[in-house]
Amino acid sequence: MKSKYIDFKQKRSYEELKEPAEAIKQGKLVLFPTETVYGIGADALNEAAVKKIYEAKGRASDNPLIAHISSLEMLKRLVENVGEIEKRLIDKFWPGPLTIVFKKREIVPNIITGGLDTVAIRMPSSIIARKLIEYSGCPVAAPSANISGKPSGTLIEDIVDELDGKVEYIIDSGKVEIGVESTVVRVVDNVVHILRPGKITKEDIEKMGIEVYVEKQILGEYKEGEKVMSPGIKYKHYAPNTKCVLVYSEDNEKMVEEIKRLSEGKNVVILSKGQNIERYDVQNKLNMGKTLEEISQNIFTLLRKADKYNADVILIEGVEKEGLGLAIMNRLIRASAHEFIEI
Ligand code: AMP
Ligand code: MG
């Protein structure tokens, strides 16, 4: 391993994060866990350091990054103004898997915002992440740890081959808690727009008596030239090399039958819910779990695993588009490049 490895799977003193924090201060990259997915972090206010993130991931320069913070003092350094609705969201969901887009202050470099006048900010609940940011003394820009276009990293073993040597430190805390990236929102005229669905759901925000609008492009296809609220929507994402087909029906029987039909005479891998897995008589099948929480935790690692079979096609069972299911379906629709059969 060319990057320095810190094993945080066993309980260790947070003091050990001071060395990687020093590396961030010096403009280097550190791969670290958050509660959502692993991130590749750099000092968000250091342009040269942030540039290294784009290079390591092969990420398009107009796809902005999220600045991770450890205190509300850091937020004040980065943004002009925090509106009433944003304040309520912060009180309720920070630290946690919610990213909020704000109007940026001058000190936030254009390189992290992709040239936009807004900046996306999150305070993670992962203590390792927060301590690392606190010891660095700077906001930490961190996109998901994966080469752009590939499934996000939720387990170090999955991503070490593609990122080893590109970062100064790898901090390994085992499997992440949530498994899909944060919910990204922006407040416009007192309405919360969901730009990317995640663990904090539309329903969670509506319960606070706040109006929520889910951007249509979340489940639909992006058409060249279309206006977007979130630049990430334009890019290929989460895709294994093997072609994926996603199948969903509210009627579980219909979904299982369709997947069986599609698998006939082909070398397939099936990604199935725990409840259905016994029903598929194929050699290669992977259990996504029984609950939406389990599925979200496993999904990226299973997309990567499924790719290793050199199958003709990966057939994936969909889930309902409510609650955390919306986030899972958003990732799966994109992983399958919109090859989505809904019956
Ligand atoms: P990732 O870094 O892979 O977790 O992706 C970050 C996501 O946040 C992408 O989908 C971006 O498009 C979105 N994002 C970041 N900054 C902004 C911003 N200023 N306005 C809208 N979306 C943003
Ligand atoms: Mg990403």
Side-chain angles (χ1 to χ4, degrees):
M1 194 176 280
K2 286 176 246 100
S3 306
K4 287 172 220 159
Y5 177 83
I6 304 182
D7 184 354
F8 246 92
K9 282 179 293 201
Q10 270 86 42
K11 189 104 190 85
R12 295 178 73 139
S13 157
Y14 292 117
E15 292 288 303
E16 292 190 45
L17 295 168
K18 287 193 167 157
E19 258 186 54
E22 190 55 37
I24 288 181
K25 268 189 203 164
Q26 291 168 8
K28 294 178 178 151
L29 303 186
V30 172
L31 201 167
F32 68 100
T34 78
E35 70 276 23
T36 58
V37 300
Y38 278 88
I40 304 179
D43 176 352
L45 302 179
N46 177 337
E47 281 192 45
V50 174
K51 191 156 175 270
K52 289 184 200 159
I53 297 182
Y54 283 93
E55 284 163 5
K57 282 184 61 96
R59 181 166 169 124
S61 62
D62 71 342
N63 193 2
L65 307 179
I66 296 168
H68 294 75
I69 58 173
S70 58
S71 69
L72 292 177
E73 273 58 52
M74 276 188 183
L75 176 68
K76 288 189 197 121
R77 280 165 58 199
L78 302 176
V79 312
E80 292 279 343
N81 176 48
V82 180
E84 277 314 306
I85 301 238
E86 285 90 338
K87 275 195 192 128
R88 288 178 62 198
L89 294 173
I90 289 171
D91 276 351
K92 177 103 181 145
F93 299 112
W94 278 8
L98 180 75
T99 297
I100 307 175
V101 174
F102 297 92
K103 191 107 199 287
K104 80 173 188 77
R105 271 191 203 278
E106 198 76 37
I107 90 162
V108 179
N110 282 331
I111 187 165
I112 97 155
T113 68
L116 300 173
D117 62 357
T118 53
V119 60
I121 301 184
R122 175 165 103 85
M123 190 192 289
S125 65
S126 153
I127 298 179
I128 297 178
R130 277 219 312 283
K131 284 279 174 200
L132 181 71
I133 302 164
E134 184 193 318
Y135 293 150
S136 312
C138 57
V140 172
S144 54
N146 54 275
I147 298 296
S148 274
K150 297 281 138 221
S152 305
T154 50
L155 201 61
I156 290 297
E157 290 86 314
D158 289 345
I159 48 176
V160 69
D161 288 346
E162 62 195 56
L163 295 170
D164 188 21
K166 293 186 175 177
V167 296
E168 192 71 10
Y169 284 91
I170 292 179
I171 303 171
D172 185 354
S173 68
K175 198 174 182 178
V176 295
E177 180 192 324
I178 296 172
V180 293
E181 304 86 341
S182 60
T183 309
V184 179
V185 300
R186 179 166 181 188
V187 182
V188 183
D189 296 334
N190 293 323
V191 178
V192 171
H193 289 246
I194 296 190
L195 312 185
R196 175 175 72 185
K199 172 81 179 164
I200 306 294
T201 63
K202 173 176 187 273
E203 294 82 354
D204 290 334
I205 300 170
E206 279 173 346
K207 265 188 227 146
M208 300 169 69
I210 299 172
E211 194 179 332
V212 183
Y213 177 79
V214 178
E215 288 296 318
K216 297 237 162 25
Q217 288 151 333
I218 280 179
L219 296 176
E221 206 158 349
Y222 164 72
K223 295 185 192 69
E224 192 74 36
E226 213 170 40
K227 193 167 173 280
V228 288
M229 274 275 253
S230 176
I233 285 193
K234 294 190 291 187
Y235 296 101
K236 179 179 164 197
H237 218 149
Y238 316 121
N241 295 318
T242 315
K243 172 188 156 86
C244 297
V245 176
L246 175 65
V247 179
Y248 181 67
S249 170
E250 276 178 20
D251 181 337
N252 189 59
E253 279 310 304
K254 280 194 186 153
M255 176 174 71
V256 171
E257 287 309 317
E258 179 66 8
I259 291 179
K260 283 185 178 173
R261 195 184 66 77
L262 291 170
S263 63
E264 273 165 31
K266 288 211 191 80
N267 172 18
V268 303
V269 185
I270 297 178
L271 260 59
S272 160
K273 274 170 240 168
Q275 295 88 330
N276 292 332
I277 195 132
E278 293 302 329
R279 308 203 36 203
Y280 298 111
D281 189 18
V282 296
Q283 200 174 4
N284 304 321
K285 50 185 179 179
L286 297 169
N287 185 347
M288 299 192 289
K290 284 193 170 160
T291 61
L292 293 177
E293 281 71 22
E294 283 171 11
I295 296 172
S296 98
Q297 212 187 31
N298 293 329
I299 196 65
F300 286 132
T301 201
L302 291 183
L303 284 171
R304 284 172 176 272
K305 200 167 176 186
D307 220 6
K308 301 215 166 90
Y309 291 92
N310 286 318
D312 303 329
V313 61
I314 302 170
L315 299 171
I316 310 171
E317 288 190 352
V319 300
E320 69 266 21
K321 294 172 203 147
E322 269 99 63
L324 182 56
L326 184 68
I328 296 170
M329 285 300 271
N330 164 260
R331 305 322 188 263
L332 289 177
I333 287 173
R334 299 189 68 185
S336 51
H338 300 272
E339 286 256 7
F340 174 30
I341 302 171
E342 194 165 16
I343 325 163

